[in-house]
């Protein structure tokens, strides 16, 4: 660990000595290095934290987990944090202030009051959107112009804004009418081929109205639908308008990427019964407590399965082989159900399916599970017969596996669809419910058939 710490300190020293250069560390790298230092060298951590300028501080703070951000707002002066917030783009500034509010509401209010009026107005506008609305992800900094504006004026204004750092990552010019309603979106690469004395309206007519027709999202649209639009049309940025069509801001691909990454992380954690927020905590207690809740629920479902086995204790005593083969039935059902569950949750998350597709989706997954059930039931039946020399035992496990894999495919698809229908995250609790079904059906069908056929 000493060698790693020395390398981190060397990289940080190089970063702060050279300032802005090719070897500069990204905000994510800085946050990761500071995270390591905080664990192993508090003094150096505080030293490098103090060296961050306002712009870097805001960008790094966005990348920090809650426990580090809490430490930052307790040790860095308010004026420096407020300056850091103002240096960020409007969407990132809003996010950072919300992160701080989640940790310390009073501190967030103090910082908000310290901001310039323009920043306060922008943040107030964005912070009022619901978490899943497109407006919550947009930034108000954009490059726009009126229809009657000359291209020379547009380019001059763009040059000034770029030098002042008012805009960055600009890919297109949004053209609006006199009322601010979005009309067109012209890629920057198209602008440079036209005579600078032309106005934008003439340029649009020359290039083709349909060619420059903009893709836009309404500020109240669900962000997942916007992400799908960005992916389907391969957009670098998408305009955000209100219901009247007035241009409000834009959402860039990095914001969409962050949303998709957060959604994927949440889905994976939820499938495993893990709280994504708790996992960001630095303490074993908080993360362990969050996991323990799901483990407790899993314990209850395991007791249900155990009670099923208890109903057939005499059957198991008569045929010890049943105890050996029983876990195989449950395991195959569990894996089959997990496959159907994972596919269904993913398709729901990416909006490839919804509840109207329930019949088609269930039929497909059940068919796959049933076919696999027939194949592996036959294989396992032969193995059981060879292993124990009892032909009927092979028949019992074969029939049981077909039943369990059929039910696993059915419920592995149905459970997330039903949860989604009732506006419940389909990943949360699906795996626990599915395990209960596959274990219960697997044990009951196997032991029930054994009692009926073998005894």
């Amino acid at each position: 660990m000493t060698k790693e710490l020395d390398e981190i300190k060397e990289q940080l020293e190089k970063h702060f000595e050279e300032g802005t250069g090719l070897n500069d560390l990204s905000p994510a790298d800085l946050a990761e290095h500071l995270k390591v230092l905080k664990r192993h060298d508090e003094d150096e951590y505080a030293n490098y934290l103090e060296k961050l300028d306002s712009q870097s501080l805001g960008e790094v703070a966005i990348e920090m987990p809650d426990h580090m951000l809490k430490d930052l707002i307790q040790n860095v002066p308010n004026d420096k944090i407020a300056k850091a917030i103002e240096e960020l783009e409007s969407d990132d500034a809003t996010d950072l202030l919300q992160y701080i509010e989640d940790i310390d509401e009073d501190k967030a209010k103090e910082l908000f009051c310290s901001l310039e009026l323009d920043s306060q107005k922008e943040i107030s506008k964005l912070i009022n959107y619901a978490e899943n609305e497109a407006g919550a992800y947009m930034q108000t900094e954009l490059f726009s112009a009126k229809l009657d504006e000359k291209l020379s004026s547009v380019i001059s204004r763009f040059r000034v804004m770029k030098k002042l750092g008012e805009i960055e990552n600009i890919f297109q010019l949004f053209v609006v009418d006199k009322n601010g309603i979005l009309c067109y979106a012209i890629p920057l690469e198209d602008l440079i081929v036209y005579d600078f004395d032309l106005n934008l309206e003439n340029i649009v007519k020359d290039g083709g109205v349909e060619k420059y027709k903009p893709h836009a999202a309404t500020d109240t649209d669900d962000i997942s639908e916007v992400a799908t639009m960005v992916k389907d049309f391969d957009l670098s940025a998408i305009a955000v308008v209100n219901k009247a069509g007035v241009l409000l801001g834009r959402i860039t691909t990095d914001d969409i990427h962050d949303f998709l990454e957060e959604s994927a992380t949440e889905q994976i954690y939820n499938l495993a019964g893990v709280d994504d927020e708790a996992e960001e905590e630095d303490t074993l207690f908080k993360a362990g407590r969050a996991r323990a809740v799901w483990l407790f629920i899993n314990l209850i479902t395991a007791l249900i399965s155990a009670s099923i086995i208890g109903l057939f204790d005499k059957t198991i005593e008569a045929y010890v082989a049943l105890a050996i083969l029983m876990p195989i039935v449950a395991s195959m059902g569990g894996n089959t159900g997990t496959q159907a569950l994972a596919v269904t949750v993913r398709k729901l998350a990416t909006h490839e399916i919804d509840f109207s597709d329930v019949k088609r989706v269930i039929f497909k997954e059940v068919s796959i599970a049933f076919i696999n059930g027939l194949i592996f039931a036959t294989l396992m039946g032969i193995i059981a017969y060879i292993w124990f020399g009892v032909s009927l035992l092979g028949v019992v496990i074969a029939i049981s596996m077909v039943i369990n894999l059929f039910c696993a495919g059915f419920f592995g698809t149905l459970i997330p669809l039903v949860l989604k229908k009732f506006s419940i995250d389909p990943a949360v609790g699906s795996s626990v419910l599915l395990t209960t079904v596959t274990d219960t059906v697997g044990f009951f069908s196997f032991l029930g058939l054994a009692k009926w056929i073998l005894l």
Side-chain angles (χ1 to χ4, degrees), residues 6 35 63 72 135 146 181 197 215 224 257 333 347 378 390-391 402 407 411 414 423 450:
D6 290 340
K35 187 176 182 179
E63 302 290 337
L72 183 148
K146 298 287 179 63
I181 294 175
D197 287 331
H215 294 286
S224 58
H257 176 270
K347 288 183 176 180
T378 303
V390 181
S391 58
V402 171
C407 291
F411 286 102
L414 183 64
S423 301

Side-chain angles (χ1 to χ4, degrees), residues 161-320:
M161 293 174 72
K162 200 64 178 155
K163 283 182 178 179
L164 294 176
E166 294 178 1
I167 52 174
E168 60 181 39
N169 299 321
I170 298 299
F171 310 103
Q172 56 195 340
L173 170 68
F174 296 118
V175 183
V176 298
D177 65 12
K178 60 181 180 179
N179 297 315
I181 294 175
L182 178 65
C183 300
Y184 308 104
I186 308 175
L188 292 187
E189 60 186 23
D190 283 15
L191 289 176
I192 61 175
V193 303
Y194 287 100
D195 187 334
F196 279 23
D197 287 331
L198 291 174
N199 62 32
L200 295 176
E201 189 169 11
N202 291 331
I203 290 173
V204 169
K205 288 178 180 178
D206 183 72
V209 172
E210 286 300 317
K211 178 181 178 181
Y212 298 129
K213 187 176 180 181
H215 294 286
T218 305
D219 57 342
T220 54
D221 284 348
D222 192 296
I223 185 61
S224 58
E225 295 175 2
V226 179
T228 300
M229 192 187 303
V230 170
K231 181 187 68 174
D232 290 346
F233 293 102
D234 195 24
L235 305 176
S236 54
I238 185 169
V240 180
V241 299
N242 63 16
K243 291 181 179 179
V246 175
L247 180 63
L248 301 177
R250 63 173 184 154
I251 298 175
T252 54
T253 49
D254 63 312
D255 298 313
I256 296 297
H257 176 270
D258 290 344
F259 164 72
L260 292 175
E261 185 177 26
E262 289 169 6
S263 297
T265 300
E266 184 179 2
Q267 293 287 332
I268 291 170
Y269 277 167
N270 285 337
L271 277 172
V274 175
D275 188 317
D276 58 325
E277 293 183 4
E279 291 306 309
E280 294 293 334
E281 294 292 341
D282 201 32
T283 63
L284 294 175
F285 175 75
K286 290 183 178 179
R289 182 180 60 185
R291 296 188 192 187
V293 172
W294 287 103
L295 289 174
F296 177 75
I297 295 172
N298 192 68
L299 175 62
I300 300 300
T301 60
L303 289 173
I304 294 173
S305 300
S307 66
I308 297 295
I309 298 172
L311 296 174
F312 298 95
D313 55 343
K314 300 297 181 183
T315 308
I316 296 172
E317 287 178 11
Y319 275 88
V320 178

Side-chain angles (χ1 to χ4, degrees), residues 117-137:
L117 287 178
D118 288 343
S119 297
Q120 289 184 11
K121 289 179 181 178
E122 287 181 349
I123 291 173
S124 295
K125 185 191 304 180
L126 298 181
I127 210 166
N128 283 325
Y129 287 104
E131 186 179 356
N132 66 322
E133 289 183 330
Y137 288 82

Side-chain angles (χ1 to χ4, degrees), residues 5 13 33 35 54 93 182 210 239 252 286 293 304 327 336 345 366 374 392 419 434 441 443 448:
L5 280 173
E13 282 297 330
H33 288 346
K35 187 176 182 179
S54 297
L182 178 65
E210 286 300 317
T252 54
K286 290 183 178 179
V293 172
I304 294 173
T336 300
V345 168
V366 167
L374 290 175
L392 288 179
L419 291 177
L434 179 62
V441 172
F443 293 145

Side-chain angles (χ1 to χ4, degrees), residues 29-213:
D29 289 334
L30 284 170
E32 189 59 35
H33 288 346
L34 289 172
K35 187 176 182 179
V36 175
L37 285 178
K38 187 177 187 304
R39 289 176 177 170
H40 301 281
D41 194 334
E42 284 278 358
D43 292 337
E44 285 297 326
Y45 165 73
N47 176 41
Y48 286 114
L49 190 63
E50 188 177 344
K51 286 184 177 182
L52 291 172
D53 59 27
S54 297
Q55 183 171 355
S56 297
L57 180 65
E59 293 172 344
V60 170
I62 283 284
E63 302 290 337
M64 286 181 169
D66 284 353
H67 69 275
M68 285 185 66
L69 185 57
K70 181 178 180 180
D71 181 70
L72 183 148
I73 62 178
Q74 288 176 345
N75 293 286
V76 176
N78 278 9
D79 57 342
K80 186 173 183 179
I81 299 176
K83 182 65 175 175
I85 293 173
E86 290 179 336
E87 291 286 343
L88 293 171
E89 292 178 332
S90 55
D91 57 335
D92 289 334
T94 304
D95 288 342
L96 181 53
L97 197 62
Q98 287 180 309
Y99 296 156
I100 294 173
E101 185 178 28
D102 291 338
I103 296 170
D104 188 335
E105 192 172 341
D106 292 333
K107 173 70 76 170
K109 289 179 180 178
E110 290 175 16
L111 292 170
F112 180 78
C113 292
S114 302
L115 301 176
E116 295 179 357
L117 287 178
D118 288 343
S119 297
Q120 289 184 11
K121 289 179 181 178
E122 287 181 349
I123 291 173
S124 295
K125 185 191 304 180
L126 298 181
I127 210 166
N128 283 325
Y129 287 104
E131 186 179 356
N132 66 322
E133 289 183 330
Y137 288 82
M138 75 175 179
Q139 55 185 234
T140 55
E141 298 86 0
L142 45 74
F143 185 38
S144 64
K146 298 287 179 63
L147 269 170
D148 59 356
E149 190 172 356
K150 280 190 175 182
L151 180 55
S152 58
S153 171
V154 172
I155 296 299
S156 296
R157 191 156 48 80
F158 176 69
R159 188 183 298 116
V160 172
M161 293 174 72
K162 200 64 178 155
K163 283 182 178 179
L164 294 176
E166 294 178 1
I167 52 174
E168 60 181 39
N169 299 321
I170 298 299
F171 310 103
Q172 56 195 340
L173 170 68
F174 296 118
V175 183
V176 298
D177 65 12
K178 60 181 180 179
N179 297 315
I181 294 175
L182 178 65
C183 300
Y184 308 104
I186 308 175
L188 292 187
E189 60 186 23
D190 283 15
L191 289 176
I192 61 175
V193 303
Y194 287 100
D195 187 334
F196 279 23
D197 287 331
L198 291 174
N199 62 32
L200 295 176
E201 189 169 11
N202 291 331
I203 290 173
V204 169
K205 288 178 180 178
D206 183 72
V209 172
E210 286 300 317
K211 178 181 178 181
Y212 298 129
K213 187 176 180 181

